[in-house]
Every structure is written in structure tokens, then in C-alpha cells.
């Protein structure tokens, strides 16, 4: 068995997502399993180079995981011909400029979303990457989660008949930071730093809807800042200038015809559901509710016949009338699965469509969602082409 090393500069690994999901649960997990078997007598061995602004944090991470290479000098990484891939999970506001430099340096690009702070910027990145002839990808992790994979199984098997609507609920209470530490960094709540739940979550909803149901062809949204003051990492109060909740209605264009999706996103909601995100899909032949890991379904033939009568107590447990969709297989970490697909794309040139153009669609939806909220009107979502 031949071992092929691929060196990956990982920018932003001192942050929550960059560290937990991308470094530990993806790249280091691949190393723990002996590398990625490419199926042709070759094992791909990912070699991370940790990149960030905080020297002490990078050194501590490297020592904790037995890694040799880390730096605070991004330019030296981009000038290093031994670096094959540049990955970015740092602040959204700095992403566009650093990806342009990485593309100019001839590195393959893999990045968290959103890929840029504007649609024009996102499209420019896609054009530059194509012109440079490099491979590029954008993280779209939700479609690789067990719950949504089970939901896709139902869709592909024709379980729903004609799909009518999708209802999504996402969110949890993010503490303000005064009497309990916030679970998210303070920049998430400052628009000037690229924060906001629309910018963060609408790109997710775009690819989830696009991949499972059909292209988003219109958006109507209302964004709100429910909590106007929060406390930062130094326990200092600051004004929250970014939206922390968004309520969106999306019209979809699918092979079955038009359908509607309604998704609420909030960092100011207390959870009364089984998982932090759930999607209910209703069709003529059946319905399903999918979360991150689980999926429950109810077929037309097993649908109860409730009668509205507010004068008597409810006598049946509606939740118990749904059937759990079985795993029927092993599910790996969604971030790791997409990393594996991207690495195979880079090394073996296997097909891969979650690229910078796909990422630009997410930026487009967020941009139009904010515009819809500001102007109080519905916006069409044009198809994107380079």
C-alpha cells in the first residue's frame, strides 16, 4: 500500500467549528483510522498545518494533538509549494481576501460558508478559482447528517408522493454573556464583523432545500435583533448590531412543480423539540420529521383522523403515531464525509459539485433575505451562472 501525503493549511482552527469539526473530527479522525483509502492501492495521509492569529493557542493545540507544524504567518503558508490545500474557517469578514490570495498562490480551496460577504465577492472567487484551474469546495455539512440522509432516502423512494411543503425550526437560547457565558463568539452579533443569523444560516437552508427538494426561486424574510445588548469574551457589554432571528418563506422549483418551505431560525428561542433543528415534510402520500440524527415518518394509510374540539382534552398522543425510520447503515461525521469527498476530488479528480458556485447561491439567498427584510417585499432568486 502506497501512502500519499497531502498537506492542508487549516486557517481558523482555534475557533469552535474549525477545531471540533474540521480538525479533530475530520482530519485527525482520518489519521486515526490510518488515512483515507483511495481504493487503488494508495492511502491518502492528511498533514495539517495549523494557521491562526493567536500563537499561544496554536502551540497548545499542536502539543495537545502531537502536530509539528503551525504558524501565524499566512503569507509564508501561501508561499510554501508543499501546501496542497488551503482551508478557511476564520471570521467571515476576512474570508474573501484570504481566499483570493490562496487562489493566486495556486492552492486548492476548501472553505466554510459563507464564502464571501457579498454575492459579487462570492462569484468573483468562483471565477478566479476556475480561471486558476484549481479544485474548490464549500462546506455543506447538513446534507451529510443521518437525519437528512434518512429523509433523502424517503424522498428518493417516492414515500411522500407529491411534496407539498417543508417546515423548518432551528435554534436555541444563546446566553447574553452577562451571568452565563455565551455559547457563540461575540462577532456573530456584530454586523460590521460579518455576523448575523441570516448570513450564517440562510446559506445552509439554500443547499438543504436545493439538494433535497429543488431550487429556491423566491424568498420573503423578516430578520430581527431580539436581544440588542450582549457581553463579549472580556465580559464587556456591546451593542448587538446583527440579526439574531430570521423568519423565512421560500418558494421552490422542483420536478414535481412548485412547493413552499418555511424556516424559522433563532438564537433567542428555548428548545421544545427533539433536536436543535427539525424539518417537517408533508406530501400527498406521507409526512416525515427529520432532525440531525433521527427521522420519523407517517404514511397516508396510517394517518389518524383528529377532530378539532377545544372543549374536550386531547385523548391521543400524536407523537406516538409516527414510525422511526431505521438507520439501515453506519453514519459517519458529516464534516468528515465531505472532507473525504473533497480530498478524493483533489487527488483522483472524482466529481464534486459543492463548489464555490454552490457556495455563491447561499450568499445570494442571504443577501436577498436581508434585502427582503429591510424592504418588506418578496424577492425572486435568479439562477446563477459564471
Amino acid at each position: 500500500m502506497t501512502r500519499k501525503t497531502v498537506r492542508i493549511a487549516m486557517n481558523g482552527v482555534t475557533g469552535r467549528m474549525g477545531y471540533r469539526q474540521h480538525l479533530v473530527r475530520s482530519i485527525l479522525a482520518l489519521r486515526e483510522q490510518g488515512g483515507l483509502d483511495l481504493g487503488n492501492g494508495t492511502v491518502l495521509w492528511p498533514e495539517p498545518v495549523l494557521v491562526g492569529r493567536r500563537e499561544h493557542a496554536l502551540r497548545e493545540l499542536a502539543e495537545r494533538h502531537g502536530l509539528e507544524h503551525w504558524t501565524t504567518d499566512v503569507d509564508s503558508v501561501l508561499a510554501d509549494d508543499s501546501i496542497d490545500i488551503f482551508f478557511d474557517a476564520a471570521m467571515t469578514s476576512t474570508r474573501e481576501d484570504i481566499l483570493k490570495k490562496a487562489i493566486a498562490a495556486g492552492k486548492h480551496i476548501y472553505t466554510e460558508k459563507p464564502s464571501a460577504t457579498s454575492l459579487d465577492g462570492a462569484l468573483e472567487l468562483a471565477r478566479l478559482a476556475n480561471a486558476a484551474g484549481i479544485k474548490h469546495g464549500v462546506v455543506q455539512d447538513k446534507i451529510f447528517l443521518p437525519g437528512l440522509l434518512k429523509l433523502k432516502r424517503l424522498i428518493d423512494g417516492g414515500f411522500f408522493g407529491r411534496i407539498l411543503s417543508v417546515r423548518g425550526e432551528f435554534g436555541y437560547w444563546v446566553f447574553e454573556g452577562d451571568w452565563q457565558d455565551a455559547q457563540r463568539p461575540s462577532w456573530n452579533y456584530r454586523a460590521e464583523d460579518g455576523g448575523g443569523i441570516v448570513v450564517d444560516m440562510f446559506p445552509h437552508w439554500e443547499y438543504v432545500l436545493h439538494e433535497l427538494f429543488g431550487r429556491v426561486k423566491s424568498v420573503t424574510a423578516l430578520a430581527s435583533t431580539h436581544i440588542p445588548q450582549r457581553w463579549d469574551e472580556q465580559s464587556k457589554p456591546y451593542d448587538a448590531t446583527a440579526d439574531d432571528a430570521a423568519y423565512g418563506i421560500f418558494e421552490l422549483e422542483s420536478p414535481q412543480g412548485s412547493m413552499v418551505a418555511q424556516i424559522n431560525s433563532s438564537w433567542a428561542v428555548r428548545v421544545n423539540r427533539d433536536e436543535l433543528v427539525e424539518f417537517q415534510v408533508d406530501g400527498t402520500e406521507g409526512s416525515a420529521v427529520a432532525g440531525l440524527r433521527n427521522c420519523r415518518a407517517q404514511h397516508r394509510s396510517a394517518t389518524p383522523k383528529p377532530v378539532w374540539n377545544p372543549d374536550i382534552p386531547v385523548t391521543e398522543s400524536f407523537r406516538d403515531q409516527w414510525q422511526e425510520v431505521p438507520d439501515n447503515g453506519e453514519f459517519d461525521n458529516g464534516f468528515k464525509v465531505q472532507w473525504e469527498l473533497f480530498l478524493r476530488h483533489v487527488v483522483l479528480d472524482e466529481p464534486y459539485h459543492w463548489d464555490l458556485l454552490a457556495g455563491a447561491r447561499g450568499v445570494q439567498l442571504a443577501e436577498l433575505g436581508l434585502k427582503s427584510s429591510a424592504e418588506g417585499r418578496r424577492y425572486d432568486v435568479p439562477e446563477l451562472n459564471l
Side-chain angles (χ1 to χ4, degrees):
M1 187 72 75
T2 303
R3 190 166 94 165
K4 177 179 178 59
T5 298
V6 172
R7 301 195 76 208
I8 307 168
M10 303 188 71
N11 186 43
V13 289
T14 57
R16 177 178 57 91
M17 189 68 70
Y19 173 68
R20 293 179 186 173
Q21 295 292 2
H22 293 287
L23 179 62
V24 175
R25 297 173 186 170
S26 297
I27 299 303
L28 295 186
L30 277 171
R31 289 160 63 96
E32 288 170 6
Q33 72 181 32
L36 176 61
D37 188 351
L38 299 179
N40 59 359
T42 303
V43 170
L44 185 149
W45 183 255
E47 185 68 51
V49 177
L50 309 185
V51 184
R53 294 176 299 170
R54 296 181 291 154
E55 181 176 333
H56 68 282
L58 291 170
R59 182 186 294 110
E60 192 276 328
L61 284 183
E63 291 175 354
R64 184 191 310 170
H65 296 287
L67 300 174
E68 297 180 34
H69 306 290
W70 58 270
T71 182
T72 59
D73 187 352
V74 177
D75 290 336
S76 70
V77 166
L78 297 180
D80 186 346
D81 291 337
S82 72
I83 299 293
D84 303 289
I85 297 170
F86 185 87
F87 168 71
D88 187 64
M91 288 177 59
T92 301
S93 58
T94 65
R95 182 161 298 142
E96 188 177 336
D97 286 342
I98 201 167
L99 290 184
K100 284 181 180 178
K101 291 180 179 179
I103 291 169
K107 310 301 181 188
H108 301 301
I109 299 297
Y110 190 53
T111 180
E112 264 292 351
K113 53 92 211 117
S115 57
T117 56
S118 70
L119 176 58
D120 288 343
L123 288 174
E124 183 182 9
L125 286 175
R127 293 187 188 106
L128 289 172
N130 284 348
I134 63 167
K135 302 291 199 307
H136 47 95
V138 176
V139 177
Q140 302 195 344
D141 57 289
K142 299 292 184 290
I143 55 175
F144 299 101
L145 290 168
L148 293 189
L149 289 174
K150 295 175 190 178
L151 180 61
K152 188 175 189 308
R153 188 197 307 160
L154 295 176
I155 295 170
D156 292 346
F159 170 81
F160 296 100
R162 182 168 62 87
I163 296 177
L164 308 173
S165 64
V166 181
R167 291 176 175 83
E169 287 285 344
F170 163 80
Y172 50 96
W173 189 269
V174 177
F175 283 93
E176 297 91 328
D178 50 351
W179 69 289
Q180 288 198 50
D181 291 341
Q183 308 98 298
R184 300 185 66 89
S186 59
W187 71 263
N188 281 180
Y189 302 93
R190 292 190 291 265
E192 60 272 23
D193 291 332
I197 202 165
V198 171
V199 170
D200 188 39
M201 297 310 301
F202 273 38
H204 279 302
W205 307 150
E206 193 285 327
Y207 70 72
V208 167
L209 295 173
H210 188 106
E211 293 276 334
L212 294 179
F213 306 104
R215 188 182 76 83
V216 179
K217 66 177 185 178
S218 78
V219 57
T220 305
L222 175 63
S224 180
T225 305
H226 288 316
I227 300 178
Q229 186 180 53
R230 293 180 178 270
W231 282 256
D232 64 17
E233 291 77 5
Q234 287 73 46
S235 299
K236 295 181 179 179
Y238 67 95
D239 292 333
T241 55
D243 45 281
D244 57 17
Y247 310 91
I249 299 174
F250 311 94
E251 187 181 6
L252 310 180
E253 185 178 75
S254 77
Q256 297 181 331
S258 182
M259 70 177 71
V260 177
Q262 175 185 325
I263 304 178
N264 297 328
S265 313
S266 179
W267 289 321
V269 62
R270 293 178 176 88
V271 182
N272 184 19
R273 65 188 99 92
D274 292 335
E275 301 194 56
L276 296 187
V277 63
E278 288 186 344
F279 298 93
Q280 177 162 335
V281 181
D282 291 300
T284 56
E285 299 297 319
S287 298
V289 177
L292 299 174
R293 300 205 60 84
N294 299 315
C295 183
R296 303 185 307 277
Q298 187 175 93
H299 191 260
R300 178 185 184 187
S301 60
T303 300
K305 193 175 183 181
V307 177
W308 171 255
N309 189 342
D311 298 322
I312 61 174
V314 175
T315 58
E316 54 189 329
S317 175
F318 293 111
R319 284 182 179 269
D320 293 339
Q321 295 163 350
W322 294 67
Q323 179 182 2
E324 197 72 31
V325 178
D327 289 352
N328 287 359
E330 296 291 328
F331 297 105
D332 207 344
N333 179 280
F335 289 88
K336 177 171 173 279
V337 170
Q338 194 178 359
W339 262 107
E340 291 174 347
L341 293 172
F342 182 69
L343 290 172
R344 295 181 69 89
H345 175 56
V346 169
V347 176
L348 301 177
D349 199 28
E350 291 185 353
Y352 187 91
H353 67 270
W354 304 285
D355 58 8
L356 283 168
L357 180 59
R361 291 200 306 264
V363 176
Q364 176 192 40
L365 188 62
E367 196 170 272
L368 290 174
L370 289 172
K371 195 172 181 181
S372 170
S373 179
E375 300 179 7
R377 54 166 291 191
R378 170 186 174 277
Y379 269 96
D380 290 333
V381 181
E383 289 195 68
L384 293 183
N385 295 292
L386 293 180

